[in-house]
Amino acid sequence: MAEALLEHIKKYIPLSKKAETQIRSSFSTLILQKKKMALAEGEPCTHIYFVAKGCLRLFYLDEKGAEQTLQFALENWWMTDLDAFHRNGRSSYAIQSLENTTLLSISKNDWDALLKQHPELEKYFRHIYERAYAASLFRMKVFRLSKEEFYSLFVEAYPGFIQRIPQKLLASFLGFPPEYLSEPRKKKASPSLATRVPKK
């Protein structure tokens, strides 16, 4: 499974054989069945996760006890509570698998040692953080659109999510009740008027 991570890193930076060897030895494999937790809200956040296969979500419980989903991660995405991870604190969020999922996990101590010995990896993670920041800005921008416009733009920007994320969780992430997804999804799935009307 480390090969998936190495190939992803090499898309952004070259890696020496020494770096490859240390990356392999620094990460461990974590296999989660569907709906299992990688991290519970309030637990010490000691690891960061690379999704080799499957899907994760990051969420928290609001004051009413309802789950609020903030992020998803598919293959080649990273996930953790970054603030808690970097300050060795307790997580403000929970991380759960939405499918049978295989993760590559690295502890904070091993992460620090890896970046200290191979500072070129800082460039790779800068790309990762930039992508995450861009996704966050995109979400903030489209909140101003109508729900149908929001959904259409999300489908266009992240087509891989639509078939893999349960409707209830996707609605939570997009910020509206699940019933609002029914209509735009039906319109996306329905054939156009031109294709429904037989030609004469």
Side-chain angles (χ1 to χ4, degrees), residues 35-181:
K35 295 186 178 180
K36 294 299 182 180
M37 306 296 291
L39 177 68
E41 188 173 344
E43 283 186 347
C45 183
T46 57
H47 288 73
I48 186 169
Y49 305 102
F50 176 82
V51 182
K53 181 180 179 182
C55 180
L56 296 175
R57 70 160 175 147
L58 182 144
F59 69 98
Y60 69 96
L61 295 178
D62 65 18
E63 64 278 2
K64 297 180 180 179
E67 294 180 355
Q68 300 296 328
T69 300
L70 297 180
Q71 294 178 8
F72 296 108
L74 299 179
E75 289 82 4
N76 296 330
W77 288 51
W78 293 82
M79 181 169 278
T80 194
D81 178 342
L82 275 177
D83 178 59
F85 177 73
H86 286 301
R87 62 180 172 80
N88 295 309
R90 293 185 177 274
S91 179
S92 299
Y93 311 101
I95 297 176
Q96 181 188 45
S97 61
L98 299 182
E99 304 170 350
N100 293 338
T101 298
T102 302
L103 305 174
L104 293 175
S105 171
I106 185 170
S107 70
K108 181 63 164 60
N109 288 339
D110 287 341
W111 163 283
D112 289 339
L114 187 63
L115 267 61
K116 183 177 181 179
Q117 294 184 42
H118 302 282
E120 67 272 20
L121 287 171
E122 295 278 4
K123 183 178 180 181
Y124 166 73
F125 284 107
R126 188 190 74 208
H127 284 292
I128 300 305
Y129 292 152
E130 286 174 351
R131 186 176 71 172
Y133 181 62
S136 176
L137 289 180
F138 171 83
R139 187 182 179 202
M140 293 173 64
K141 178 181 179 181
V142 297
F143 266 146
R144 300 183 180 183
L145 303 176
S146 70
K147 291 180 173 62
E148 186 170 334
E149 290 172 325
F150 190 170
Y151 180 76
S152 296
L153 276 178
F154 185 82
V155 170
E156 182 179 349
Y158 303 103
F161 285 99
I162 302 305
Q163 300 303 320
R164 298 175 65 177
I165 305 298
Q167 180 169 310
K168 179 180 178 181
L169 299 183
L170 184 58
S172 172
F173 173 73
L174 297 177
F176 45 85
E179 57 268 22
Y180 280 106
L181 276 186

